[in-house]
Every structure is written in structure tokens, then in C-alpha cells.
Amino acid sequence: MHVQVPDSVSTLGPCGGCAHCLTCEARSRSICSVISPEHSARLARYSHRLSVPQGRSFIEEGQPAEDFFIVTSGHAKLFSLMPDGRRQITGFANTGQFLGLASGKTYAFSAEALDALTLCRFSRSGLSTLRRDFPALENRLMEEASRELVQAQSRMLLLGRKTARERLASFLVEQHHLQSGLDHRPPSDRTLTLPMSRTDIADYLGLTIETVSRTLNALQREHLIVIRFVTLITLLDLAALEAMARGD
Amino acid sequence: MHVQVPDSVSTLGPCGGCAHCLTCEARSRSICSVISPEHSARLARYSHRLSVPQGRSFIEEGQPAEDFFIVTSGHAKLFSLMPDGRRQITGFANTGQFLGLASGKTYAFSAEALDALTLCRFSRSGLSTLRRDFPALENRLMEEASRELVQAQSRMLLLGRKTARERLASFLVEQHHLQSGLDHRPPSDRTLTLPMSRTDIADYLGLTIETVSRTLNALQREHLIVIRFVTLITLLDLAALEAMARGD
DNA sequence: GGCGTGCCTTGATCCATATCAAGACCATTG
DNA sequence: CAATGGTCTTGATATGGATCAAGGCACGCC
């Protein structure tokens, strides 16, 4: 069990000078991979591990952007809300992902844990120090920003111009590529474990839950996918889904 | 008149060692503003001015991203295309804007001149050199990337969740803020000069030209705007438009 | 001035997706 | 095992914006 702290998240331990970075499971997939292991102590001095329970929010849009985060395990959703409650999920975050680039003085999005989540927190000043001391970090952050911008472009195309079928196909193919990159899976495994609800998928794709449900079932009827459980989907015809995602 | 060069753009002059950067009108609004004027010659060594006529494309999605650009005058549209011709404009670029952050090995978007456009071109290696020599550039590029990412989030919300009226209101308010930042305009001027066509507006907002036209006329009937000419629109009630843009 | 040619507007109709409304499923709890 | 409550599916209907189809208007060209 973890200990509650005022700002709605929980620390796993003080870790003031400990070497959590040396044993970090997310390291190879995060910006920290550019810092060699012998400098782990430096890294650890400016970062703190914390855990966030499922459903708990840990970044609030509009709040001063004082901290940056790296996801060390679990999944998060990043979203914007309109005053009447309309929601747009701007992205999902997996292990290794850096959070906070899309911020000026304040965060441009809110973030919430989809499942049990652990994070590594950096203060703005701590990260500045690290960036100064490890110039390779600068490049890696820039790459991260570029990658996110490229992704943002394709999401604009999806949200602005694709049909519901194309959106779902794009989503499934994207999840496949994300999950096939993971260590413990055989590359031929075409079964997805979705960490998010139908509501989240709808808010990610700019659709309603009904349309998501109906469209997934339509894809199943056409033998492109099999819905084994709500959160477990097998892609039967990846090439066809990729073609549909592109819109041809 | 300018000289045609193979890759469909035109150089204004060789400028090998000349000091175009010292007199650059875009400088104060671009990333170059972090480099002090006495280093202009260095800057000029790695950059080349070129001009692009209206309607000409100068970045092609999917091509190797060998060059970066800064808009020195005029306007450009950045967009993605689907195989069947559906188009999503991901952004418009004004004087000072840096182009090329949303790229890995290849460009993630195409770019085309909306009017007579002048650009400053940096090769990838030239920019790397400058980034090494002027560390302030690094920070400025990172800020630029953050700003673009914040903008991308709000565009996803617009494309995924806003109604046609809200999209047009958002667009008009955005154009107002962009144009009221310009030197030569009195801050109270609420008349916009739009550099883009109805088709471009539609492709920017994920709508059709008919819906753009109808919705603008509806806003005029409600005395929120006056359409003086196709490309000249006065905002009568900025507060109401801002509220509509937010969705409340 | 007349005449294309390209945009833009306006009207009529259609349709993909939203909305509204039950039900089904499933996990949890008493 | 029944009751409860959340999430998901399925069906019926509505609707915002797309599509189809004429015009209108401005600008360049002969």
C-alpha cells in the first residue's frame, strides 16, 4: 500500500540519494537512455518516483507547469476538456514517455492514470540542470518533441478528415505497433490488450461510444478483427486494416 | 525577377557571405532573435534566402527532411493529404515561423506558399552547427516545439469535438490574435485580412467550403462579424466570438 | 466591353454519425 | 445467489454537416 500525499499522488519512497535510476525498467525506452549508467546517481538526485492509482488525475490543464514526468509503468490518458464536458483525448502515454513538452507556463492538457501507474517526476529546475550537464538530453528531448509533433499531424488528419471506420482502423494499427515494440511479446502476436475503456477510445477518436462499439463490431463481421473480450482484440488482417487506416 | 532552380523554388541571390541576417525583417520574431546582431555573419553563412511564388509547393510530405526553413515574409499552408485527395491543413505559417520541427528522417507535412513567400533555408548540418555554437538556439527551438505542441492539442480539441460555429469562431479569434501582434496595426483594429481561400479554411477546420461559407454568413446575420470582402472580415463582438470558440 | 474561368454563395437533399432509449453482460457485494 | 451498478451493445430516430446542383460575382484576357 502507498501513502497519500496532499497533491493527490503517492510517493513510493523518498529516494533522496538512492539509485532508482540504475534499476529503472523504463530507462531504455525513455530520454534517460542517453545518460550512461555511471551517471545514474546524478539523474536520481533530480528525480523522484511516485505512484498514481487507477483513475487518479496527476496533471491538471491550466495549472502551472512546474514538473515534468516520465511514465515508468502503466498507462495514462492526456486530454482537454470543454466547459460543457466534451472531452478530447490528445494522446495515451506508455512506459518511457516523457510528459510535459506541450506546456508553456501552464500545462496544456490534463493527465489521468488508466491503470496503476508509476512515474518519475522532475522539477523544471532539476531538468534544466540535467539538460545543462548532459547535452545529449537536449537532443533527445528535441527528438521526443519532433516525434510528438509528427504524431500530432497525423492525429489532426484523423480527426479532421477520416471516417469512423478509418479512425478505428488507425487506432487498432497504432496500438498494434505500440504493443509489438514491447520486449515480452512475440512479434507475430496480433492480439491487443487495450488499457482504455470504450469511452476513452471514443474521446481519442472524436466519436461516441456507440459509434466505436458499432464500428468495431462491423470490423469483426467483416473478419478483419476478433473481439475476444472488451479489452482483448485480435487483428486478423493487418494489411487490410493498414490500408483502411490510410484511407485507400 | 528571380531565377528558377531545379527544386521548384527560386533563390534571391547567392548570399554566400553577405549579411542578409542583419537586415532581416523576420529576425525579431524568429528563433534568430536569440543570436546577437554581431554574430549575424555566422548566421548568414549557414542560411540562404529564397523566394517561392504563390501556389508553389516547397516541402513535400515523405521527402527526406534535409532542410529547415524560417518564413521571412508572406504566408504558407502546411498540410497532409490522403490518397483520395482529402486534405487536412495542420497549420498556417507566418513571418518568423520555423518550419521542419515536425519531421523525423522525412517531412511529416507538405508546405505551399499562400502568397509571395520568402524563406530562409538552413541545411540540417548547418543548423546543427549553429545549435552547437549558440546554445541559446537550442532553448529557443525547444520553446518553439512546445508552442507548436500546445497549439496541436487545441487543434485536436477543435477537430475532434467542436461544432462548425465553434470552429469558425476559434479560427477568427486565432487570426485576430495573430494579426494584432503585428507592428503596423493599431491594437484596436478588429478587421482581419485573410491570406487563405475558403477551401483552405475548410481544410484547416475539417469542414467543407459550403459549411464555411454558410457559417460565416450566419455569424454575420447575428452581427458577430461583417464580411467586407471575401478576404476582409471585421469582428464586431470579440468577446462573444471568444466565448463561442471556448464552447460556452 | 464581352467572355471565360475560378472562386464563392445559396438552395435542396442525403447520409454518417449523434442522440435517445432499452437491454445485455459482468463484476462486486451482501 | 440475488441485487446492484457500471460498462458495453444494439436498436430506433434525429440532425449537423456533407454532397449535389445551380447561380453569382470578380478578375484577367482578348
Side-chain angles (χ1 to χ4, degrees), chain B residues 197-215:
Chain B
S197 69
R198 291 288 184 268
T199 302
D200 291 335
I201 298 174
D203 287 343
Y204 184 58
L205 299 178
L207 300 169
T208 59
I209 53 170
E210 292 94 332
T211 298
V212 168
S213 178
R214 277 189 252 272
T215 305

Side-chain angles (χ1 to χ4, degrees), chain B residues 44-66:
Chain B
R45 181 156 49 228
Y46 294 105
S47 62
H48 292 265
R49 282 297 193 88
L50 57 120
S51 97
V52 184
Q54 181 172 41
R56 177 79 49 89
S57 169
F58 61 97
I59 292 178
E60 299 276 0
E61 181 173 0
Q63 290 300 109
E66 277 151 13

Side-chain angles (χ1 to χ4, degrees), chain B residues 132-145:
Chain B
R132 192 159 19 75
D133 295 355
F134 301 101
L137 251 191
E138 205 66 62
N139 296 315
R140 189 57 156 76
L141 277 170
M142 207 62 222
E143 273 172 36
E144 194 80 1

Side-chain angles (χ1 to χ4, degrees), chain A residues 133-177:
Chain A
D133 295 355
F134 301 101
L137 251 190
E138 204 67 62
N139 296 315
R140 189 57 157 75
L141 277 170
M142 207 63 222
E143 272 171 36
E144 194 79 1
S146 285
R147 219 184 32 72
E148 279 192 41
L149 277 168
V150 170
Q151 219 169 265
Q153 317 266 316
S154 76
R155 287 195 42 67
M156 287 186 227
L157 180 62
L158 179 147
L159 293 169
R161 291 301 185 207
K162 290 189 186 177
T163 66
R165 287 165 61 81
E166 289 164 352
R167 292 179 200 210
L168 262 303
S170 302
F171 170 73
L172 292 170
V173 169
E174 179 185 62
Q175 286 296 313
H176 174 69
H177 285 120

